[in-house]
Amino acid sequence: MSRVRGRGRKGWLPAFRDAMLFKTAYAYGLRRNDTRMLDTADFGRNPEGAEFGEYGVCYVRHGKAKKGSPPKRRSVLTVWEWSVEILDQWISEVGPAMRHADGPALWPSERGRRVGLQRLDSRFAAYRDDLGLDAVLDFHSLRRSYFTHLIEDGWDACVSSDFRTRTLRRALDATVEAALTPARRAL
């Protein structure tokens, strides 16, 4: 990031924002509006996943609702360590350099307080096309990939928060135990 910033290229900051935004949408299986409406305060600690620090839970306050109903709130647990790293980098280092970073929005635009839905679609399409990916891919593909990868990793994507918390704790503990086992044998 410092290398790109140091070159002084125009547009590096919005491009970096887009990368962090798309990664966050995938990391938590978020819809477009879920992602767009995130504020910096929408992350918190998960007591069962202390290793994720301040980014153990993503609180979605503007989730998809039934017609005529208020936005549906939900919380999504952090499952990948890399998501903590990108959020921390964005919130503490890069995001504050955005022109409208003084507001609560996690993803300010170059011209306003919050990135727009059409901007999310157009930027995703531009990156997809530049990479030569299939035109059938859209922003929602990140959400579908999130759930697919959870299922492939043995998670049940349609379970309660309590179950996900217990499952996450078991998986993290097993990973730590597996990493420490060779070191214990050496003693």
PDB file of all heavy atoms in Angstrom, residues 56-74:
ATOM      1  N   GLY A  56     -14.370  -9.024  15.878  1.00  0.00           N
ATOM      2  CA  GLY A  56     -14.878 -10.381  16.030  1.00  0.00           C
ATOM      3  C   GLY A  56     -16.297 -10.580  15.525  1.00  0.00           C
ATOM      4  O   GLY A  56     -16.715 -11.698  15.224  1.00  0.00           O
ATOM      5  N   VAL A  57     -17.048  -9.486  15.433  1.00  0.00           N
ATOM      6  CA  VAL A  57     -18.433  -9.538  14.979  1.00  0.00           C
ATOM      7  C   VAL A  57     -18.699  -8.319  14.094  1.00  0.00           C
ATOM      8  O   VAL A  57     -18.252  -7.218  14.395  1.00  0.00           O
ATOM      9  CB  VAL A  57     -19.429  -9.492  16.169  1.00  0.00           C
ATOM     10  CG1 VAL A  57     -20.871  -9.573  15.677  1.00  0.00           C
ATOM     11  CG2 VAL A  57     -19.157 -10.583  17.173  1.00  0.00           C
ATOM     12  N   CYS A  58     -19.430  -8.554  13.025  1.00  0.00           N
ATOM     13  CA  CYS A  58     -19.912  -7.465  12.173  1.00  0.00           C
ATOM     14  C   CYS A  58     -21.414  -7.328  12.431  1.00  0.00           C
ATOM     15  O   CYS A  58     -22.161  -8.298  12.255  1.00  0.00           O
ATOM     16  CB  CYS A  58     -19.649  -7.779  10.701  1.00  0.00           C
ATOM     17  SG  CYS A  58     -20.336  -6.572   9.551  1.00  0.00           S
ATOM     18  N   TYR A  59     -21.830  -6.159  12.879  1.00  0.00           N
ATOM     19  CA  TYR A  59     -23.241  -5.909  13.150  1.00  0.00           C
ATOM     20  C   TYR A  59     -23.869  -5.249  11.927  1.00  0.00           C
ATOM     21  O   TYR A  59     -23.561  -4.103  11.605  1.00  0.00           O
ATOM     22  CB  TYR A  59     -23.407  -5.017  14.380  1.00  0.00           C
ATOM     23  CG  TYR A  59     -22.846  -5.640  15.628  1.00  0.00           C
ATOM     24  CD1 TYR A  59     -21.630  -5.218  16.163  1.00  0.00           C
ATOM     25  CD2 TYR A  59     -23.519  -6.681  16.262  1.00  0.00           C
ATOM     26  CE1 TYR A  59     -21.103  -5.806  17.296  1.00  0.00           C
ATOM     27  CE2 TYR A  59     -23.000  -7.273  17.395  1.00  0.00           C
ATOM     28  CZ  TYR A  59     -21.788  -6.833  17.904  1.00  0.00           C
ATOM     29  OH  TYR A  59     -21.275  -7.426  19.022  1.00  0.00           O
ATOM     30  N   VAL A  60     -24.737  -5.975  11.263  1.00  0.00           N
ATOM     31  CA  VAL A  60     -25.423  -5.462  10.076  1.00  0.00           C
ATOM     32  C   VAL A  60     -26.719  -4.815  10.554  1.00  0.00           C
ATOM     33  O   VAL A  60     -27.608  -5.495  11.042  1.00  0.00           O
ATOM     34  CB  VAL A  60     -25.705  -6.601   9.069  1.00  0.00           C
ATOM     35  CG1 VAL A  60     -26.462  -6.078   7.859  1.00  0.00           C
ATOM     36  CG2 VAL A  60     -24.404  -7.277   8.649  1.00  0.00           C
ATOM     37  N   ARG A  61     -26.796  -3.504  10.403  1.00  0.00           N
ATOM     38  CA  ARG A  61     -27.971  -2.761  10.868  1.00  0.00           C
ATOM     39  C   ARG A  61     -28.953  -2.482   9.751  1.00  0.00           C
ATOM     40  O   ARG A  61     -30.096  -2.111  10.002  1.00  0.00           O
ATOM     41  CB  ARG A  61     -27.549  -1.431  11.503  1.00  0.00           C
ATOM     42  CG  ARG A  61     -26.739  -1.605  12.769  1.00  0.00           C
ATOM     43  CD  ARG A  61     -26.248  -0.284  13.342  1.00  0.00           C
ATOM     44  NE  ARG A  61     -25.345   0.385  12.406  1.00  0.00           N
ATOM     45  CZ  ARG A  61     -25.622   1.526  11.776  1.00  0.00           C
ATOM     46  NH1 ARG A  61     -26.753   2.146  11.982  1.00  0.00           N
ATOM     47  NH2 ARG A  61     -24.750   2.065  10.940  1.00  0.00           N
ATOM     48  N   HIS A  62     -28.527  -2.636   8.516  1.00  0.00           N
ATOM     49  CA  HIS A  62     -29.372  -2.295   7.371  1.00  0.00           C
ATOM     50  C   HIS A  62     -29.544  -3.507   6.459  1.00  0.00           C
ATOM     51  O   HIS A  62     -29.381  -3.412   5.246  1.00  0.00           O
ATOM     52  CB  HIS A  62     -28.770  -1.122   6.599  1.00  0.00           C
ATOM     53  CG  HIS A  62     -28.704   0.127   7.412  1.00  0.00           C
ATOM     54  ND1 HIS A  62     -29.776   0.980   7.538  1.00  0.00           N
ATOM     55  CD2 HIS A  62     -27.713   0.643   8.177  1.00  0.00           C
ATOM     56  CE1 HIS A  62     -29.437   1.981   8.337  1.00  0.00           C
ATOM     57  NE2 HIS A  62     -28.193   1.796   8.732  1.00  0.00           N
ATOM     58  N   GLY A  63     -29.872  -4.646   7.047  1.00  0.00           N
ATOM     59  CA  GLY A  63     -30.058  -5.870   6.277  1.00  0.00           C
ATOM     60  C   GLY A  63     -31.354  -5.870   5.490  1.00  0.00           C
ATOM     61  O   GLY A  63     -32.244  -5.047   5.705  1.00  0.00           O
ATOM     62  N   LYS A  64     -31.437  -6.810   4.576  1.00  0.00           N
ATOM     63  CA  LYS A  64     -32.614  -6.944   3.719  1.00  0.00           C
ATOM     64  C   LYS A  64     -33.852  -7.197   4.575  1.00  0.00           C
ATOM     65  O   LYS A  64     -33.843  -8.030   5.477  1.00  0.00           O
ATOM     66  CB  LYS A  64     -32.395  -8.092   2.748  1.00  0.00           C
ATOM     67  CG  LYS A  64     -33.491  -8.264   1.737  1.00  0.00           C
ATOM     68  CD  LYS A  64     -33.138  -9.379   0.775  1.00  0.00           C
ATOM     69  CE  LYS A  64     -34.244  -9.594  -0.234  1.00  0.00           C
ATOM     70  NZ  LYS A  64     -33.909 -10.692  -1.140  1.00  0.00           N
ATOM     71  N   ALA A  65     -34.906  -6.484   4.263  1.00  0.00           N
ATOM     72  CA  ALA A  65     -36.155  -6.611   5.021  1.00  0.00           C
ATOM     73  C   ALA A  65     -37.289  -6.984   4.081  1.00  0.00           C
ATOM     74  O   ALA A  65     -37.199  -6.813   2.869  1.00  0.00           O
ATOM     75  CB  ALA A  65     -36.476  -5.300   5.720  1.00  0.00           C
ATOM     76  N   LYS A  66     -38.355  -7.475   4.668  1.00  0.00           N
ATOM     77  CA  LYS A  66     -39.562  -7.720   3.876  1.00  0.00           C
ATOM     78  C   LYS A  66     -40.168  -6.373   3.510  1.00  0.00           C
ATOM     79  O   LYS A  66     -39.991  -5.388   4.223  1.00  0.00           O
ATOM     80  CB  LYS A  66     -40.554  -8.553   4.682  1.00  0.00           C
ATOM     81  CG  LYS A  66     -40.061  -9.950   4.938  1.00  0.00           C
ATOM     82  CD  LYS A  66     -41.072 -10.751   5.707  1.00  0.00           C
ATOM     83  CE  LYS A  66     -40.522 -12.142   5.946  1.00  0.00           C
ATOM     84  NZ  LYS A  66     -41.417 -12.958   6.722  1.00  0.00           N
ATOM     85  N   LYS A  67     -40.895  -6.359   2.427  1.00  0.00           N
ATOM     86  CA  LYS A  67     -41.501  -5.116   1.945  1.00  0.00           C
ATOM     87  C   LYS A  67     -42.355  -4.485   3.046  1.00  0.00           C
ATOM     88  O   LYS A  67     -43.179  -5.139   3.671  1.00  0.00           O
ATOM     89  CB  LYS A  67     -42.351  -5.413   0.711  1.00  0.00           C
ATOM     90  CG  LYS A  67     -42.805  -4.169  -0.009  1.00  0.00           C
ATOM     91  CD  LYS A  67     -43.454  -4.499  -1.316  1.00  0.00           C
ATOM     92  CE  LYS A  67     -43.806  -3.221  -2.033  1.00  0.00           C
ATOM     93  NZ  LYS A  67     -44.292  -3.476  -3.372  1.00  0.00           N
ATOM     94  N   GLY A  68     -42.117  -3.206   3.304  1.00  0.00           N
ATOM     95  CA  GLY A  68     -42.879  -2.479   4.307  1.00  0.00           C
ATOM     96  C   GLY A  68     -42.348  -2.629   5.720  1.00  0.00           C
ATOM     97  O   GLY A  68     -42.871  -2.033   6.651  1.00  0.00           O
ATOM     98  N   SER A  69     -41.300  -3.426   5.905  1.00  0.00           N
ATOM     99  CA  SER A  69     -40.720  -3.631   7.233  1.00  0.00           C
ATOM    100  C   SER A  69     -39.411  -2.848   7.364  1.00  0.00           C
ATOM    101  O   SER A  69     -38.772  -2.534   6.360  1.00  0.00           O
ATOM    102  CB  SER A  69     -40.416  -5.114   7.458  1.00  0.00           C
ATOM    103  OG  SER A  69     -41.597  -5.870   7.430  1.00  0.00           O
ATOM    104  N   PRO A  70     -39.012  -2.576   8.600  1.00  0.00           N
ATOM    105  CA  PRO A  70     -37.724  -1.890   8.783  1.00  0.00           C
ATOM    106  C   PRO A  70     -36.570  -2.832   8.428  1.00  0.00           C
ATOM    107  O   PRO A  70     -36.754  -4.050   8.368  1.00  0.00           O
ATOM    108  CB  PRO A  70     -37.723  -1.546  10.277  1.00  0.00           C
ATOM    109  CG  PRO A  70     -38.645  -2.525  10.897  1.00  0.00           C
ATOM    110  CD  PRO A  70     -39.690  -2.839   9.857  1.00  0.00           C
ATOM    111  N   PRO A  71     -35.377  -2.272   8.218  1.00  0.00           N
ATOM    112  CA  PRO A  71     -34.221  -3.119   7.905  1.00  0.00           C
ATOM    113  C   PRO A  71     -34.017  -4.191   8.974  1.00  0.00           C
ATOM    114  O   PRO A  71     -34.226  -3.946  10.165  1.00  0.00           O
ATOM    115  CB  PRO A  71     -33.041  -2.143   7.895  1.00  0.00           C
ATOM    116  CG  PRO A  71     -33.656  -0.811   7.675  1.00  0.00           C
ATOM    117  CD  PRO A  71     -35.021  -0.871   8.296  1.00  0.00           C
ATOM    118  N   LYS A  72     -33.612  -5.358   8.529  1.00  0.00           N
ATOM    119  CA  LYS A  72     -33.393  -6.479   9.455  1.00  0.00           C
ATOM    120  C   LYS A  72     -31.964  -6.422   9.989  1.00  0.00           C
ATOM    121  O   LYS A  72     -31.009  -6.344   9.230  1.00  0.00           O
ATOM    122  CB  LYS A  72     -33.628  -7.795   8.714  1.00  0.00           C
ATOM    123  CG  LYS A  72     -33.597  -9.000   9.608  1.00  0.00           C
ATOM    124  CD  LYS A  72     -33.973 -10.244   8.846  1.00  0.00           C
ATOM    125  CE  LYS A  72     -33.935 -11.453   9.750  1.00  0.00           C
ATOM    126  NZ  LYS A  72     -34.258 -12.663   9.029  1.00  0.00           N
ATOM    127  N   ARG A  73     -31.858  -6.478  11.287  1.00  0.00           N
ATOM    128  CA  ARG A  73     -30.543  -6.467  11.940  1.00  0.00           C
ATOM    129  C   ARG A  73     -30.066  -7.897  12.148  1.00  0.00           C
ATOM    130  O   ARG A  73     -30.863  -8.793  12.419  1.00  0.00           O
ATOM    131  CB  ARG A  73     -30.613  -5.772  13.295  1.00  0.00           C
ATOM    132  CG  ARG A  73     -30.904  -4.307  13.184  1.00  0.00           C
ATOM    133  CD  ARG A  73     -31.090  -3.705  14.569  1.00  0.00           C
ATOM    134  NE  ARG A  73     -31.254  -2.278  14.477  1.00  0.00           N
ATOM    135  CZ  ARG A  73     -30.343  -1.400  14.867  1.00  0.00           C
ATOM    136  NH1 ARG A  73     -29.221  -1.808  15.383  1.00  0.00           N
ATOM    137  NH2 ARG A  73     -30.569  -0.113  14.737  1.00  0.00           N
ATOM    138  N   ARG A  74     -28.757  -8.073  12.024  1.00  0.00           N
ATOM    139  CA  ARG A  74     -28.164  -9.376  12.316  1.00  0.00           C
ATOM    140  C   ARG A  74     -26.688  -9.178  12.641  1.00  0.00           C
ATOM    141  O   ARG A  74     -26.124  -8.133  12.367  1.00  0.00           O
ATOM    142  CB  ARG A  74     -28.335 -10.345  11.151  1.00  0.00           C
ATOM    143  CG  ARG A  74     -27.535 -10.026   9.933  1.00  0.00           C
ATOM    144  CD  ARG A  74     -27.820 -11.050   8.810  1.00  0.00           C
ATOM    145  NE  ARG A  74     -26.897 -10.944   7.720  1.00  0.00           N
ATOM    146  CZ  ARG A  74     -26.905 -10.016   6.778  1.00  0.00           C
ATOM    147  NH1 ARG A  74     -27.827  -9.075   6.805  1.00  0.00           N
ATOM    148  NH2 ARG A  74     -26.010 -10.002   5.813  1.00  0.00           N
TER     149      ARG A  74
END
